[in-house]
């Protein structure tokens, strides 16, 4: 099965997708982390994130992969063989990724990798364009939204726990800026697929979000099973 979870920044996609993946033994693919890894590569090579030609020139020599850490269940992101899961979460990368992810060639390359990963086993992917572009035929599509202040609070807590310092105001401003730019770009803009199930997580707990999605997947599995018989 392929499950797509899209939605704006910090709407709870990755936390939910990870837990759903663990509960149902699906591979969780964090596509945002891949765009962040590409951005980190540009940073390491001192390439300006807005310099499209230079960013395109490093695509072929950049290796991005994700694996599940069997001890924690976390999805780890590797850039050229090195675990960069924490490094890609800094405010600088969050800022720079908006320009890098707009580049058509970057998207084509990462979408290819995501489609190959999707063939490995049952997968749950989170991002902005999973249900619309990467897997338009996904078995189930969800679009998660939440009030911007709730999202800022959650991201602030998450970053603090990871030891990454930033102010609540800066985080909120970054979320608003990224949502605007992600929604208005011409390449694969952030928008719900027509057949996506909308979930507003503003007043839901994480376990409620997980339970809602897990139940939908179980129902879909049963429906498919019945159709096959
Ligand atoms: O999910 P995230 O905040 O880690 O994603 C980082 C950025 O990557 C986000 O601002 C938009 C971009 N992105 C994208 O364009 N397409 C995706 N499928 C996933 C993320």
């Amino acid at each position: 099965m392929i499950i797509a979870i899209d939605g704006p920044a910090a709407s709870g996609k990755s936390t939910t997708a990870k837990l759903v993946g663990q509960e149902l033994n699906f591979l969780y693919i964090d596509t945002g982390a891949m765009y962040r890894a590409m951005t980190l590569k540009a940073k390491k090579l001192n390439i300006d994130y807005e310099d499209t030609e230079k960013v395109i020139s490093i695509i072929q020599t950049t290796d991005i992969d994700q694996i599940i850490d069997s001890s924690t269940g976390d999805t780890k992101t590797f850039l050229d063989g090195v675990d960069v899961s924490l490094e890609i979460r800094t405010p600088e990368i969050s800022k720079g990724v908006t320009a890098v992810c707009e580049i058509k060639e970057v998207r084509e390359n990462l979408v290819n990798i995501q489609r190959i990963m999707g063939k490995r086993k049952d997968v749950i992917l989170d991002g902005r364009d999973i249900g619309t572009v990467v897997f338009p035929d996904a078995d189930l599509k969800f679009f998660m939204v939440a009030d911007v202040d709730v999202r800022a609070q959650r991201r602030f807590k998450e970053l603090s726990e990871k030891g990454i310092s930033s102010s609540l105001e800066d985080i909120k401003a970054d979320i608003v800026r990224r949502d605007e730019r992600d929604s208005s770009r011409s390449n694969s803009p952030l928008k719900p697929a027509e057949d996506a199930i909308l979930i507003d997580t503003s007043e839901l707990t994480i376990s409620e979000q997980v339970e809602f999605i897990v139940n939908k997947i179980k129902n879909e599995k049963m429906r498919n099973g019945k159709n096959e018989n």
Side-chain angles (χ1 to χ4, degrees), residues 31-32 35-36 89 97 101 107 127-129 178 182 185:
T31 65
Y35 290 95
R36 288 171 179 270
R89 300 289 156 197
V97 67
C101 76
R107 301 202 71 84
R128 306 292 189 285
D129 61 343
R178 279 202 290 147
D182 289 343
R185 69 182 179 217

Side-chain angles (χ1 to χ4, degrees), residues 4-224:
I5 303 194
D6 291 301
S11 53
K13 303 181 299 291
S14 57
T15 312
T16 308
K18 173 185 148 182
L19 293 170
V20 172
Q22 283 173 357
E23 188 160 336
L24 297 177
N25 192 26
F26 278 38
L27 174 67
Y28 162 48
I29 301 171
D30 178 351
T31 65
M34 294 178 163
Y35 290 95
R36 288 171 179 270
M38 191 67 211
T39 308
L40 180 63
K41 175 73 174 245
K43 174 178 151 63
K44 286 185 185 296
L45 295 176
N46 284 322
I47 292 174
D48 181 343
Y49 307 128
E50 304 278 349
D51 189 339
T52 304
E53 290 310 312
K54 281 227 174 92
V55 175
I56 291 173
S57 75
I58 60 168
I59 292 176
Q60 291 312 321
T61 50
T62 302
D63 179 47
I64 294 172
D65 197 11
Q66 283 186 340
I67 57 154
I68 303 262
D69 180 335
S70 53
S71 57
T72 61
D74 287 337
T75 294
K76 297 268 176 202
T77 303
F78 287 79
L79 171 64
D80 298 327
V82 177
D83 181 355
V84 292
S85 309
L86 198 59
E87 238 181 312
I88 56 173
R89 300 289 156 197
T90 61
E92 183 189 340
I93 298 298
S94 295
K95 209 162 184 296
V97 67
T98 335
V100 173
C101 76
E102 281 177 354
I103 302 171
K104 185 170 114 292
E105 289 79 356
V106 168
R107 301 202 71 84
E108 282 169 358
N109 180 51
L110 293 183
V111 167
N112 274 339
I113 298 173
Q114 290 154 17
R115 288 185 178 145
I116 292 167
M117 286 176 154
K119 292 194 179 128
R120 286 186 190 165
K121 57 177 277 194
D122 287 329
V123 283
I124 181 162
L125 302 95
D126 86 31
R128 306 292 189 285
D129 61 343
I130 309 303
T132 50
V133 175
V134 185
F135 288 113
D137 296 327
D139 296 276
L140 278 173
K141 300 175 187 178
F142 298 93
F143 195 85
M144 292 178 82
V145 293
D147 177 79
V148 68
D149 286 305
V150 173
R151 289 189 281 141
Q153 282 284 0
R154 286 181 186 159
R155 184 52 50 94
F156 178 69
K157 187 166 171 271
E158 186 186 318
L159 290 178
S160 307
E161 282 166 5
K162 286 186 170 141
I164 298 172
S165 67
S166 192
S167 74
L168 188 59
E169 295 74 50
D170 287 350
I171 290 174
K172 184 176 169 185
D174 179 65
I175 287 175
V176 170
R177 182 191 61 80
R178 279 202 290 147
D179 286 353
E180 273 169 18
R181 208 161 151 177
D182 289 343
S183 308
S184 59
R185 69 182 179 217
S186 53
N187 288 323
S188 311
L190 166 69
K191 62 170 185 199
E194 275 176 16
D195 49 350
I197 300 166
L198 199 73
I199 311 175
D200 186 335
T201 70
S202 307
E203 294 187 8
L204 293 181
T205 63
I206 289 171
S207 43
E208 285 169 338
Q209 296 163 36
V210 172
E211 195 185 330
F212 178 82
I213 294 181
V214 164
N215 284 339
K216 290 273 181 207
I217 297 174
K218 284 183 178 164
N219 287 342
E220 182 66 13
K221 259 194 169 165
M222 266 175 38
R223 216 171 58 85
N224 287 344

